[in-house]
């Protein structure tokens, strides 16, 4: 350590540290602008001027290295004079309309001149107007406000190695910018946002509409991670894939979810909706990279990491073994509790093993992830239906109701009670179990074209049936995602959109067809559940079929029990207070409280309810774990044509080939594809490595 | 330091020469330090105003101050050199700068705003050639009258000077010739 005196105060500094940072670390504020703690000091602004050892000529504190016994004075007359003059000169040519600036209140220049109490009025005043450039995606340039501190240039050149920003001279004078008037994309910008992060004024900012969508600054900067319900550290695992470390990528995913492979296949990837690359071309293939990482993790090093708390003497029963129930069971066991999962079906997994078809989610992968949970010490009973949670509670310290929404719902159509009329849930379970489906006949009408409707339709096509898929939504309003619609059509699913259902026709007690008419428009009132439609006259027709499958919604089925032991609302869902039901010690989570949702949401519910149950049982509810140390290299270097790199899609098998079996319709990325796709990441998270520059009012002492 | 600026001829105005020097100086292309760039910018803005008769009484003091900081606080030798040069020019040609700032005149007759044009009464023949040439209608007087330049309208373009075959029109710096206030009949 080096001992010196700054403004009469004894300060200890690191060897080689600058006087400025020795002062700041010691709680002594010295104004500074062109200095940034993460960038090389240049000494251009002279705001940090100090006199040293009684000398008369001020020197910049940022480029002056501490020496033993040094006596530094930041408030000497000559230092103050240099500082004031420098600030006056900067302000003389800086636009004066602070209140109209988007950086107002967060601007370092504004903060410092207010602290110093100076203005530029003694000098010739002339702002140097530069046209604001909003044409670049993600980054706005408002260089009229540039004060030439060069922080963005140093960040772009030295810290990132992208080397797009430079000092530019044009008719307005000198400012930071892209040479030759090129757009950021054409210049090879990688849109990492480092320039935005270090700009002290409102010259380089996030484009309008990018920030302010989330609860925290970090979430706005890294929206993929924020949008993921489980907040998986997406940029980190994409980086691991790119650097050839799929095992680390798998471990990073494992930090938040026990079903990486399942999610790699069927996640609804809200992360991709948040991906900032969408502003350049298409979002990252985040889900596909997840699948690649899991399938290429040969070492499984994550298994030896993570926490396992000592055993408690608490017993927890989990009703239902879907993604929510098993996630909760996994973490509750890690927290030391004795967990038993009770599943009414013959196998664990809920929709992962009895709903989602094999062509989307291979059974073997799901079973492997479930096996790991069981092997970690979770007990289970299958074919065990619980009809009263309160009775079960008598044998356990806590009960979790995670029954999902496994009961299909039929529309009240005439003929719905016929034996050839089924619900999607039952058909999907039988299909997954490879049970006999001959009771459905050769031609099937599926009602409802959400993702479940498509799951049924595409599964039955694979069983060799002719499938007519009908729904009330118009063709452009269909609920299933585009991939489902396109691939379903290729596989031969006949779509009847914009149809209203009148009756299931039958002869001799056997279904013969579905009578429908065309609707020109329809609206669904969520509050009342009523559908209002405008029918097309004379459009009535009968779609011939041997059976009908309803994919028109699901419910918990809890109201079917005489008394489930907890209070239910009129729709059969538990009455909730957070994750607590009406009964002490009985919790509920997942689709059973949210209604039908996605696996990632159910997993997050499982994590959250775990924390709640653990606290109820006397624990701290802490389930966070780090399975991989993070080390992100901020020097991303140059990449020509980066902005235009096209999204790599997984290879889709031929329709004829894929309907011949029930295997995954997509091939995993090849190593080369994964490399290409992961290289497209903007690495938004690197921005958060930059330290935030503290303003004067954040330092203690008498700096005010 | 640029010595050429200290060896100016009688036809060179030190304010104008220094301004030209600043405008072509590397400091205005760089921007890496406040005193080099903003100092040069203040020199340019202020000297421009001085040559255009728009100076303020505090200008020389402010420029001296900023040039001393340029010399002392610039990041590289370019800024130091510019500050040094400017201070030397101020010192050597202090009277000239003072005359400009006091709006008395440009001795070399270079700074247009300080130059006036006059028609000498003993040479004017009242031909009207200059009146025809003047685009600003700043020359008063009919044919056979001694013409007079309306100083409020004159933009110092100098075209009348070459239009006059009698060499009756002259440029003037600080010392002005005596001329009639309004056109009077020409006796010649």
């Amino acid at each position: 350590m080096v001992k010196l005196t700054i403004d009469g105060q004894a300060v200890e500094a690191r060897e080689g540290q600058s006087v400025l940072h020795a002062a700041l670390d010691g709680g002594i504020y010295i104004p500074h602008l062109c200095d940034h703690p993460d960038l090389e000091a240049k000494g251009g602004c002279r705001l940090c001027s100090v006199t040293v050892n009684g000398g008369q000529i001020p020197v910049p504190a940022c480029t002056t290295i501490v020496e033993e016994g040094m006596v530094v004075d930041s408030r000497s007359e000559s230092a103050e004079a240099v500082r004031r003059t420098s600030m006056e000169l900067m302000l003389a040519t800086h636009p004066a309309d602070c209140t109209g600036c988007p950086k107002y209140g967060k601007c370092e220049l504004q903060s410092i001149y207010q602290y110093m109490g100076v203005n530029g009025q003694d000098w010739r005043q002339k702002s140097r107007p530069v046209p604001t450039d909003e044409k670049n995606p993600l980054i706005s340039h408002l260089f009229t406000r540039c004060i030439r501190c060069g922080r963005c240039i140093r960040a772009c050149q030295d810290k990132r190695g992208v080397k797009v920003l430079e000092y530019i001279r044009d008719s307005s004078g000198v400012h930071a910018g892209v040479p030759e008037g090129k757009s950021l994309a054409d210049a090879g910008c990688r849109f990492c946002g480092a320039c935005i992060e270090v700009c002290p004024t409102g010259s380089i900012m996030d484009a309008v509409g990018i920030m302010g969508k989330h609860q925290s600054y970090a979430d706005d900067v890294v929206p993929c991670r924020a949008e993921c319900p489980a907040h998986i550290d997406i940029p980190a695992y994409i980086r691991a894939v790119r650097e050839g470390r799929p095992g680390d990528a798998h471990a990073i995913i494992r930090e938040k979810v026990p079903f990486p492979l399942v999610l790699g296949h069927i996640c609804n990837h809200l992360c991709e909706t948040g991906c900032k690359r969408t502003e350049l071309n298409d979002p990252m293939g985040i889900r596909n990279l997840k699948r690649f990482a899991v399938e290429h993790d040969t070492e499984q090093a994550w298994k030896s990491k993570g926490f396992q708390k000592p055993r408690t003497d608490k017993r927890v029963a989990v009703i239902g073994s879907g993604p929510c129930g098993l996630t909760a069971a996994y973490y509750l066991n890690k927290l030391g509790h004795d967990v038993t999962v009770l599943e009414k079906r013959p196998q664990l997994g809920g929709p992962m093993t009895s709903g989602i078809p094999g062509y989307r989610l291979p059974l073997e992968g799901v079973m492997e992830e479930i096996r790991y949970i069981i092997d970690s010490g979770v007990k289970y009973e299958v074919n065990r239906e619980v009809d009263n949670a309160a009775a079960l509670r008598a044998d356990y310290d806590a009960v979790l109701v995670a029954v999902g929404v496994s009961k299909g719902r039929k529309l009240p159509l005439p003929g719905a009670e016929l034996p050839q009329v089924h619900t999607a849930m039952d058909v999907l379970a039988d299909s997954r179990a490879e049970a006999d489906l001959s009771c459905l006949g050769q031609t099937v009408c599926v009602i409802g074209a959400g993702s479940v409707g498509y799951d049924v339709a595409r599964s039955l096509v694979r069983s060799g049936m002719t499938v007519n898929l009908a729904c009330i939504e118009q063709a452009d309003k269909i609920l299933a995602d585009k991939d489902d619609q396109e691939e379903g059509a290729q596989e031969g699913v006949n779509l009847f959109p914009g149809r209203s259902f009148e009756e299931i026709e039958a002869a001799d007690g056997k279904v013969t067809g579905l009578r429908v008419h065309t609707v020109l428009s329809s609206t669904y009132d969520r509050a009342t559940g009523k559908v209002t439609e405008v029918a097309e006259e004379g459009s009535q027709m009968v779609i011939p079929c041997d059976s009908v499958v309803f994919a028109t919604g699901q419910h918990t089925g809890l109201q079917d029990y005489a008394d489930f032991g907890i209070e239910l609302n009129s729709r059969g869902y538990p009455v909730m207070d957070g994750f607590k039901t009406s009964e002490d010690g009985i919790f509920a989570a997942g689709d059973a409280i949210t209604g039908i949702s996605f696996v990632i949401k159910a997993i997050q519910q499982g994590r959250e309810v775990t924390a709640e149950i653990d606290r109820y049982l006397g624990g701290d509810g802490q389930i966070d774990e780090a399975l991989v140390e993070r080390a992100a290299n901020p020097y991303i270097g140059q990449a020509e044509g980066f902005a235009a790199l096209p999204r790599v899609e997984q290879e889709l098998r031929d329709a004829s080939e894929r309907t011949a079996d029930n295997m995954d319709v997509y091939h995993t990325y090849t190593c080369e594809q994964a490399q290409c796709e992961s290289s497209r990441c903007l690495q938004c998270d690197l921005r958060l490595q930059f330290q935030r520059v503290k303003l004067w009012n954040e330092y203690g002492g008498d700096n005010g | 330091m640029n010595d050429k600026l200290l060896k100016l001829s009688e036809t060179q105005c030190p304010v104008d020469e220094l301004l030209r020097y600043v405008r072509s100086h590397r400091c205005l292309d760089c921007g890496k330090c406040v005193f080099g760039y903003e100092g040069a910018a203040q020199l340019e803005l202020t000297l421009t105003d001085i040559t255009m008769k728009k100076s303020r009484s505090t200008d020389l003091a402010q420029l001296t101050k900023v040039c001393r900081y340029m010399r002392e606080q610039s990041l590289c030798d370019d800024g130091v050199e510019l500050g040094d040069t400017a201070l030397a020019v101020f010192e050597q040609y202090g009277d000239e700068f003072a005359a400009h700032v006091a709006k008395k005149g440009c001795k070399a007759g270079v700074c247009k705003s300080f130059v006036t044009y006059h028609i000498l009464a003993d040479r004017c023949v009242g031909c009207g050639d200059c009146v025809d040439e003047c685009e600003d209608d700043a020359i008063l007087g009919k044919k056979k009258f001694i013409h007079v330049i309306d100083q409020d309208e004159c933009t110092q373009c100098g075209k009348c000077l070459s239009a006059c075959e009698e060499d009756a029109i002259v440029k003037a710096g600080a010392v002005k010739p005596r001329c009639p206030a309004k056109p009077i009949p020409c006796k010649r």
Side-chain angles (χ1 to χ4, degrees):
Chain A
M1 297 300 273
V2 179
K3 287 182 181 149
L4 68 161
T5 309
I6 303 176
D7 294 351
Q9 198 175 314
V11 171
E12 285 206 347
R14 290 192 310 275
E15 195 82 35
Q17 200 176 19
S18 71
V19 169
L20 174 62
H21 286 281
L24 297 175
D25 288 355
I28 302 165
Y29 178 69
I30 300 174
H32 56 283
L33 193 58
C34 69
D35 179 85
H36 187 285
D38 296 310
L39 303 171
E40 189 198 346
K42 293 287 186 185
C45 79
R46 289 309 204 254
L47 289 188
C48 67
S49 288
V50 293
T51 44
V52 175
N53 298 336
Q56 274 307 299
I57 297 183
V59 293
C62 63
T63 52
T64 305
I65 302 302
V66 293
E67 284 170 23
E68 187 68 30
M70 206 179 222
V71 178
V72 176
D73 189 357
S74 79
R75 306 199 175 178
S76 61
E77 205 177 312
S78 58
E80 289 283 11
V82 170
R83 173 155 43 250
R84 292 179 68 87
T85 307
S86 171
M87 185 50 112
E88 288 173 7
L89 290 171
M90 274 189 265
L91 293 175
T93 54
H94 188 80
D97 62 327
C98 280
T99 48
C101 175
K103 196 85 170 213
Y104 181 82
K106 292 177 217 142
C107 171
E108 290 177 39
L109 182 71
Q110 181 191 21
S111 160
I112 300 168
Y113 83 69
Q114 287 174 347
Y115 170 79
M116 292 171 58
V118 300
N119 59 55
Q121 283 166 7
D122 286 348
W123 303 94
R124 287 293 189 286
Q125 300 195 4
K126 185 192 176 202
S127 85
R128 305 180 172 106
V130 183
T132 293
D133 186 356
E134 307 267 17
K135 290 191 292 294
N136 289 304
L138 292 170
I139 300 173
S140 285
H141 285 163
L142 315 104
F143 286 129
T144 296
R145 304 193 175 92
C146 179
I147 51 162
R148 294 158 291 281
C149 65
R151 277 162 42 166
C152 57
I153 297 170
R154 277 174 278 159
C156 186
Q157 299 268 341
D158 309 337
K159 199 79 184 172
R160 291 283 184 267
V162 176
K163 306 183 188 213
V164 165
L165 292 180
E166 287 177 21
Y167 282 103
I168 302 296
R169 165 117 205 224
D170 60 22
S171 57
S172 68
V174 176
H175 57 83
V178 185
E180 299 161 34
K182 279 187 182 170
S183 70
L184 283 173
D186 288 345
C189 175
R190 301 192 61 172
F191 297 89
C192 68
C195 50
I196 303 170
E197 199 63 30
V198 299
C199 178
T201 70
S203 315
I204 306 182
M205 301 201 55
D206 286 289
V208 176
I210 297 295
M211 302 300 272
K213 291 179 184 166
H214 303 93
Q215 287 187 348
S216 73
Y217 181 73
D219 283 355
D220 274 337
V221 169
V222 192
C224 55
R225 192 164 63 197
E227 299 284 346
C228 172
H231 308 303
I232 298 174
D233 193 353
I234 292 162
Y237 84 68
I238 292 179
R239 182 173 295 121
V241 169
R242 186 179 57 250
E243 292 171 358
R245 296 180 284 116
D248 283 353
H250 185 195
I252 290 165
I253 300 162
R254 278 265 166 192
E255 289 175 353
K256 298 290 186 187
V257 296
F259 292 105
L261 186 71
V262 171
L263 293 168
H265 280 85
I266 51 91
C267 191
N268 60 322
H269 52 73
L270 291 170
C271 50
E272 294 184 20
T273 344
C275 177
K276 282 186 180 168
R277 197 179 234 285
T278 312
E279 302 287 322
L280 307 187
N281 52 5
D282 293 306
M284 292 293 300
I286 300 173
R287 181 181 69 187
N288 299 343
L289 287 168
K290 185 186 283 113
R291 176 177 167 185
F292 173 87
V294 180
E295 291 183 2
H296 287 77
D297 177 12
T298 49
E299 282 142 32
Q300 309 277 321
W302 57 272
K303 285 185 176 171
S304 59
K305 305 196 178 132
F307 72 90
Q308 175 61 59
K309 290 200 179 165
R311 305 312 300 178
T312 65
D313 55 357
K314 308 290 187 195
R315 301 181 69 228
V316 185
V318 176
I319 311 172
S321 67
C324 175
L326 283 181
T327 299
Y330 175 63
Y331 287 109
L332 285 166
N333 177 58
K334 279 162 79 74
L335 289 166
H337 306 302
D338 185 273
V339 188
T340 307
V341 175
L342 307 170
E343 170 58 51
K344 68 178 177 184
R345 290 186 195 275
Q347 79 283 336
L348 296 173
M352 297 184 289
T353 52
S354 63
I356 302 164
Y359 66 85
R360 289 177 62 200
L361 181 57
L363 197 59
E364 183 41 42
V366 187
M367 291 316 297
E368 196 179 320
E369 293 189 327
I370 293 175
R371 245 187 327 266
Y372 181 73
I373 293 172
I374 299 306
D375 290 348
S376 73
V378 171
K379 297 171 190 155
Y380 69 96
E381 295 173 32
V382 290
N383 297 312
R384 168 73 196 277
E385 184 161 4
V386 177
D387 57 8
N388 188 313
L392 190 68
R393 167 76 172 88
D395 298 329
Y396 291 91
D397 297 293
V399 170
L400 171 61
V401 179
V403 296
V405 282
S406 58
K407 276 272 167 33
R409 199 194 306 273
K410 293 178 183 176
L411 296 178
L413 296 185
E417 71 295 341
L418 288 160
Q420 298 86 21
V421 179
H422 306 271
T423 64
M425 289 299 96
D426 295 339
V427 172
L428 287 172
D430 286 349
S431 170
R432 189 79 195 231
E434 293 174 14
D436 180 23
L437 294 172
S438 60
C439 63
L440 295 174
Q442 187 50 45
T443 306
V444 183
C445 264
V446 179
I447 299 178
S451 64
V452 174
Y454 267 97
D455 281 355
V456 174
R458 295 179 67 186
S459 292
L460 296 183
V461 163
R462 283 164 171 76
S463 299
M465 299 177 197
T466 302
V467 181
N468 300 315
L469 178 60
C471 64
I472 193 159
E473 291 84 8
Q474 302 296 318
D476 58 344
K477 299 256 165 57
I478 284 177
L479 301 172
D481 70 28
K482 287 276 170 288
D483 289 347
D484 248 335
Q485 295 181 44
E486 281 168 22
E487 291 161 25
Q490 292 162 4
E491 291 163 9
V493 172
N494 304 314
L495 183 65
F496 294 86
R499 300 304 207 281
S500 185
F501 311 102
E502 297 181 358
E503 185 179 351
I504 299 168
E505 295 189 340
D508 303 329
K510 287 182 84 174
V511 169
T512 57
L514 175 65
R515 193 168 76 235
V516 300
H517 61 257
T518 306
V519 292
L520 300 170
S521 69
S522 63
T523 47
Y524 174 67
D525 184 346
R526 203 164 254 288
T528 60
K530 285 234 163 66
V531 176
T532 320
E533 59 168 61
V534 180
E536 184 187 339
E537 251 177 78
S539 64
Q540 199 179 63
M541 67 175 282
V542 174
I543 307 172
C545 59
D546 304 320
S547 60
V548 172
V549 180
F550 280 98
T552 50
Q554 290 150 242
H555 61 95
T556 62
L558 294 179
Q559 73 272 46
D560 298 346
Y561 301 116
D563 174 18
F564 192 64
I566 57 174
E567 207 180 315
L568 304 177
N569 67 18
S570 59
R571 292 158 54 237
Y573 287 88
V575 175
M576 300 302 295
D577 172 16
F579 288 109
K580 294 181 183 128
T581 66
S582 59
E583 300 304 308
D584 179 58
I586 303 183
F587 300 82
D591 283 5
I593 68 168
T594 62
I596 188 162
S597 185
F598 294 92
V599 170
I600 184 68
K601 187 84 201 264
I603 290 172
Q604 180 58 13
Q605 287 261 313
R607 285 174 60 89
E608 287 173 23
V609 77
T610 296
E612 179 101 8
I613 293 171
D614 187 49
R615 282 192 291 268
Y616 174 79
L617 297 175
D620 60 6
Q622 188 52 252
I623 58 168
D624 288 337
E625 55 188 347
L627 303 177
V628 179
E629 269 188 46
R630 304 293 198 273
N633 178 9
Y635 195 87
I636 54 183
Q638 293 174 300
E640 206 181 324
F642 178 78
L645 290 176
R647 177 178 160 118
V648 181
E649 297 294 355
Q650 293 183 136
E651 191 192 332
L652 180 64
R653 296 163 62 211
D654 272 350
S656 59
E657 187 193 324
R658 62 186 194 247
T659 50
D661 58 34
N662 199 26
M663 312 286 277
D664 201 317
V665 297
Y666 289 106
H667 291 294
T668 314
Y669 281 149
T670 61
C671 290
E672 193 188 350
Q673 284 176 316
Q675 176 67 32
C676 287
E677 185 57 18
S678 55
S679 299
R680 295 173 69 233
C681 183
L682 306 187
Q683 306 193 56
C684 303
D685 62 333
L686 290 179
R687 239 173 104 170
L688 299 175
Q689 288 182 348
F690 283 107
Q691 300 173 61
R692 203 180 58 81
V693 175
K694 275 162 75 183
L695 304 180
W696 61 271
N697 49 354
E698 296 169 77
Y699 289 85
D702 59 347
N703 290 311
Chain B
M1 171 154 9
N2 190 303
D3 289 341
K4 273 197 271 177
L5 284 169
L6 300 178
K7 298 167 190 160
L8 299 177
S9 71
E10 297 234 315
T11 58
Q12 288 176 301
C13 167
V15 184
D16 179 68
E17 291 298 324
L18 182 57
L19 176 57
R20 286 167 194 274
Y21 185 65
V22 170
R23 280 186 174 148
S24 63
H25 200 272
R26 280 194 295 275
C27 275
L28 286 178
D29 288 330
C30 168
K32 291 191 181 71
C33 75
V34 169
F35 283 104
Y37 181 74
E38 299 293 353
Q42 287 298 330
L43 274 171
E44 187 195 4
L45 290 169
T46 314
L47 291 173
T48 303
D49 278 0
I50 292 175
T51 61
M52 295 177 72
K53 231 174 166 177
K54 290 185 200 158
S55 52
R56 302 176 194 160
S57 57
T58 51
D59 278 348
L60 279 178
Q62 288 292 95
L63 287 186
T64 304
K65 176 177 167 181
V66 85
C67 288
R68 284 189 181 140
Y69 280 133
M70 289 174 79
R71 193 164 64 180
E72 181 186 288
Q73 298 289 340
S74 288
L75 212 50
C76 79
D77 290 344
D78 288 345
V80 175
E81 180 273 318
L82 181 55
D84 238 3
T85 301
L87 285 170
V89 174
F90 295 157
E91 193 174 331
Q92 176 142 346
Y93 299 102
D95 293 348
E96 269 304 286
F97 276 86
H100 279 77
V101 172
K103 297 172 187 151
K104 285 199 175 133
C106 172
K107 201 164 122 194
V110 172
C111 299
K112 273 189 172 178
S113 302
F114 289 95
V115 172
T116 47
Y117 288 80
H118 303 270
I119 302 175
L120 301 175
D122 54 350
R123 292 200 189 167
C124 180
V125 295
C127 68
D129 287 353
C130 60
V131 180
D132 295 341
E133 191 67 25
C134 181
E135 288 172 11
D136 300 298
D137 295 334
I139 301 179
L140 310 174
K142 300 181 282 190
K143 281 212 161 139
K144 298 290 175 193
F145 275 74
I146 293 172
H147 300 312
V148 175
I149 295 175
D150 180 347
Q151 299 298 341
D152 293 338
E153 295 294 323
C154 177
T155 58
Q156 292 91 29
C157 72
K159 284 183 183 161
C160 55
L161 206 65
S162 42
C164 181
E165 291 175 7
E166 308 294 327
D167 291 339
I169 304 182
V170 294
K171 254 184 357 180
V175 183
K176 314 291 185 197
R178 288 175 63 102
C179 297
K182 51 185 181 183
I184 49 170
C186 184
K187 289 174 187 158
R188 296 166 64 194

